[in-house]
Amino acid sequence: MSSSEADSKDVLDPQAILDGVPTGLWIDGRSTPAASGKTFEVFDPATEEVLTSVADAGADDAIAALDSAAGAADDWAATPARERSEILRRTFELLTDRADDIAMLMTLELGRALPDSRAETKYGNEFLRWFAEEAVRIGGRFTQAPAGNGRILVTHQPVGPCLAITPWNFPLAMGTRKIAPALAAGNVMLVKPAGETPLTMLALAEAFAEAGLPPGVLSVLPTSSSSTVSSALISDDRIKKISFTGSTPVGRTLLGQAAERVQRTSMELGGNAPFLVFDDADVDAAVEGAYLAKMRNGGEACTAANRFLVQSGIVEEFTAKLTEKMSQVVMGPGYRDGVTLGPLVNAKQRDKVAELVEQAVSDGARVRLGGERPEGRGFFYPATVLDDVDPYAPITREEIFGPVAVISTFDAEDDGIAAANSTEYGLASYFYSRDLERCMRVASRLESGMVGVNRGVISDAAAPFGGIKQSGIGREGGTEGIDEYLNVKYIALT
Ligand SMILES: O=CCCC(=O)O
C-alpha cells in the first residue's frame, strides 16, 4: 500500500478530532502537564507516523493524583446514589452524541477498522448506562440468627480508592467496564491507560467532567512507564482495589504486588478460546459465528477464537466456507471507507503474529489464505487461514491476537472437549451444535468462565465477563460487576 493511500483519512476530519482531545494528565478534574514536563508520542499504526504527544506521568504525578482522589473520596461516597447515577447517565448521553468522533479517535490510535470502533463505542458506552442503572440498586440483607439470639444486617460500602490498569485493544470499553461500577458504588478511581491508546481515556475523562463529575473522582495517568506509575500507586496504602485487564504474566506480577498490602484485585487476563463445530451444526451459521469470533477487533480480543476444532465430517465444508468469507476482508488503514481489517497495534504485535504463522507452517500447517506479511509501512497482517493443524501444536498454545484462523480436526465429542480444555486459560469458549442435549452437556464441560452456544460474540454489559484458571479472578459487567467495588459489612444486632 502506498503512503498516499494510507494518508487519506477520508471518513471524518481526524485532525480536528485529535485537536479536541486533552493531552495532559487528568488530575483534579483538569488536564495538566507532567511534573517532569515530559511527554511521549502516540502513533498511527497505519502509517507509523506520530499522531500527537501526551503528558508522561511519573511516580510524583501518580501520588499527586492519588492525593486529589483521596481528598474527593469521602464526599463522593456520601453523594446520593441517584446523583452518582445521573452523572453516569449524562456521560453516556455525551458519548452517544460524540460516538462518531470517539470511534475515529480509537481507530486513529489503535489502527483497527472503523466499523469495529463504532461497535466498541456502543459496547463501551453501554457500561455507563448499565451501571447508572445499578448505582441505585445496591442492596443489603436482614435476617434473624438461627439460634434466635440476634439479628444479622448485611450492608455494602465502597472499597475505597481504586486503580484501573487498562489495555490498548478496547480503549473505551475496558475503561468504562471498570470506571462505571467503581463510581456507581461510590469509589474514586485512578486509571493508567495503555501507552498505545491514552487519547480515548482522556476524552472519556473530559466527558465525565462535563457531565458534572467532581474533581478528583476520576484521574487518568498516561505514561511511557506503566510499572513506574502502577508500582507507586500499589505500594501506597490508600489504594484499596486494583482492576487489571491484560496479559497473564503482568497479572501475576500485579497480584504479587497487591499481596503485600492484601489489596482487593480483579484480573481479566489472557485467553485461548476454543471454537468447536460439531457434525450436527448449521455450517453456514457456524461460519458466520466463526468469522465474528475471529475477526472482531481484527483478532485483537482476549475473547477471540484462538483455535477452531471441527468434527471430521464437516471440516472441509467449514474450512472452505470460512476461507471464502475471510478472503472478502478488505485490509487497509482503519479510517478508510470500506476497510474491514486495519493494521495491528504495533510492530511487536505484528511480528509476533507473523512468527507464530511461520512456525505453524514449518510444523506442518497448510496455508489456505494469507500467511504473508505485506511490505511497506503500517503494522498490517492479512486475514489468514491455516488448516491441518495438530490440535496440540505450539500455535494452539499461544494467544495469537491477530486475524489468523487455526483449524484442527477431531473425531469424537470427548476428543474435541479434551482438546478444547487442554490449556491453562479459561476465559471464553464457543461451540456450534443443533442438538439441545449436546449443547447443555458441552457447555457444562467446557472449562471457561463464558461459553457462546451457537453464537460468535458473547460480550454484553449486562453479563458477567471473566475467566477461570489462569484467565483471571473476578467479573466485570452484569449485576456481579458492582460487587467487585463493594465491601460487605455484617452488623450484628441484638
Ligand atoms: O479483550 C478483552 C475484552 C473483550 C470484550 O470485552 O469483548
Side-chain angles (χ1 to χ4, degrees):
M1 168 180 339
S2 74
S3 68
S4 63
E5 266 180 317
D7 283 346
S8 70
K9 300 163 183 142
D10 43 18
V11 181
L12 287 166
D13 178 2
Q15 196 53 53
I17 291 168
L18 284 172
D19 290 346
V21 178
T23 54
L25 311 177
W26 194 266
I27 301 179
D28 227 12
R30 61 180 181 276
S31 185
T32 169
S36 65
K38 286 192 189 150
T39 59
F40 67 99
E41 290 171 333
V42 180
F43 292 89
D44 174 353
T47 60
E48 305 180 36
E49 284 165 14
V50 175
L51 284 174
T52 188
S53 294
V54 168
D56 193 356
D60 290 353
D61 301 300
I63 298 307
L66 182 52
D67 291 344
S68 161
D74 288 350
D75 281 354
W76 183 246
T79 299
R82 175 63 68 202
E83 229 174 278
R84 298 199 299 261
S85 164
E86 279 164 2
I87 291 172
L88 287 167
R89 176 72 200 202
R90 278 199 293 276
T91 313
F92 165 79
E93 279 156 10
L94 282 171
L95 288 201
T96 304
D97 291 347
R98 294 171 194 174
D100 286 345
D101 287 6
I102 296 283
M104 174 56 103
L105 186 60
M106 286 196 280
T107 283
L108 285 166
E109 55 180 354
L110 175 55
R112 56 112 191 267
L114 208 42
D116 278 320
S117 292
R118 291 200 186 102
E120 183 186 344
T121 309
K122 214 162 179 301
Y123 171 52
N125 206 9
E126 201 52 45
F127 289 101
L128 297 174
R129 177 158 62 176
W130 175 261
F131 285 109
E133 290 157 354
E134 291 296 289
V136 291
R137 313 209 193 292
I138 298 168
R141 189 156 70 81
F142 178 72
T143 185
Q144 299 287 341
N149 55 353
R151 287 167 296 166
I152 296 166
L153 178 62
V154 180
T155 63
H156 294 100
Q157 293 181 319
V159 283
C162 304
L163 167 63
I165 304 175
T166 59
W168 47 259
N169 65 335
F170 285 89
L172 177 71
M174 298 305 96
T176 52
R177 189 155 91 178
K178 297 177 193 308
I179 298 165
L183 270 47
N187 301 288
V188 296
M189 182 168 252
L190 297 96
V191 184
K192 191 216 70 62
E196 290 83 352
T197 56
L199 301 173
T200 306
M201 199 66 76
L202 292 166
L204 174 64
E206 191 179 47
F208 263 114
E210 285 175 54
L213 191 71
V217 176
L218 176 66
S219 313
V220 180
L221 296 163
T223 178
S224 62
S225 175
S226 297
S227 57
T228 304
V229 167
S230 59
S231 300
L233 292 171
I234 297 171
S235 59
D236 192 305
D237 282 327
R238 291 174 293 174
I239 289 288
K240 302 298 182 202
K241 158 93 195 187
I242 298 143
S243 178
F244 170 69
T245 297
S247 74
T248 296
V250 175
R252 270 191 211 109
T253 303
L254 294 170
L255 282 168
Q257 292 176 345
E260 290 292 316
R261 284 168 186 75
V262 197
Q263 286 145 321
R264 282 184 67 176
T265 57
S266 298
M267 295 279 144
E268 300 295 349
L269 307 179
N272 181 0
F275 188 113
L276 294 119
V277 189
F278 291 98
D279 277 348
D280 59 37
D282 173 338
V283 176
D284 291 333
V287 167
E288 290 302 316
Y291 179 82
L292 287 173
K294 181 73 256 179
M295 296 303 286
R296 171 175 177 247
N297 226 34
E300 293 176 309
C302 52
T303 46
N306 209 48
R307 306 169 280 150
F308 291 94
L309 296 158
V310 187
Q311 208 160 8
S312 36
I314 50 159
V315 68
E316 184 45 40
E317 181 188 356
F318 174 85
T319 304
K321 287 182 169 169
L322 182 63
T323 304
E324 167 60 22
K325 175 105 189 149
M326 301 248 309
S327 71
Q328 288 160 22
V329 161
V330 179
M331 184 171 73
Y335 32 72
R336 169 87 49 78
D337 225 2
V339 163
T340 52
L341 178 64
L344 296 175
V345 70
N346 56 28
K348 185 170 163 223
Q349 204 57 35
R350 189 264 323 271
D351 294 349
K352 180 189 145 196
V353 172
E355 276 159 30
L356 281 171
V357 171
E358 276 161 31
Q359 183 61 48
V361 172
S362 75
D363 290 343
R366 180 168 53 159
V367 180
R368 296 283 289 251
L369 181 72
E372 291 282 334
R373 186 187 138 167
E375 295 296 323
R377 288 176 81 75
F379 308 122
F380 292 95
Y381 198 86
T384 294
V385 179
L386 305 179
D387 75 346
D388 280 352
V389 179
D390 181 298
Y392 299 89
I395 195 168
T396 69
R397 312 287 95 196
E398 296 274 338
E399 193 172 19
I400 300 169
F401 244 61
V404 178
V406 172
I407 302 176
S408 307
T409 311
F410 66 91
D411 289 320
E413 182 180 299
D414 278 352
D415 300 335
I417 291 172
N421 288 339
S422 69
T423 167
E424 73 262 34
Y425 296 110
L427 188 62
S429 309
Y430 306 84
F431 70 91
Y432 273 70
S433 164
R434 278 187 283 207
D435 175 343
L436 183 60
E437 283 292 307
R438 169 176 267 166
C439 286
M440 297 310 293
R441 186 169 65 236
V442 174
S444 78
R445 290 183 66 195
L446 286 172
E447 295 169 0
S448 60
M450 301 176 285
V451 183
V453 183
N454 292 321
R455 53 188 286 190
V457 177
I458 51 177
S459 306
D460 189 325
F465 187 105
I468 59 171
K469 296 160 84 175
Q470 295 195 31
S471 287
I473 302 167
R475 293 294 178 269
E476 295 189 309
T479 49
E480 292 79 1
I482 203 161
D483 293 341
E484 303 277 335
Y485 296 94
L486 290 165
N487 281 335
V488 174
K489 180 174 276 179
Y490 152 49
I491 301 171
L493 301 168
T494 52

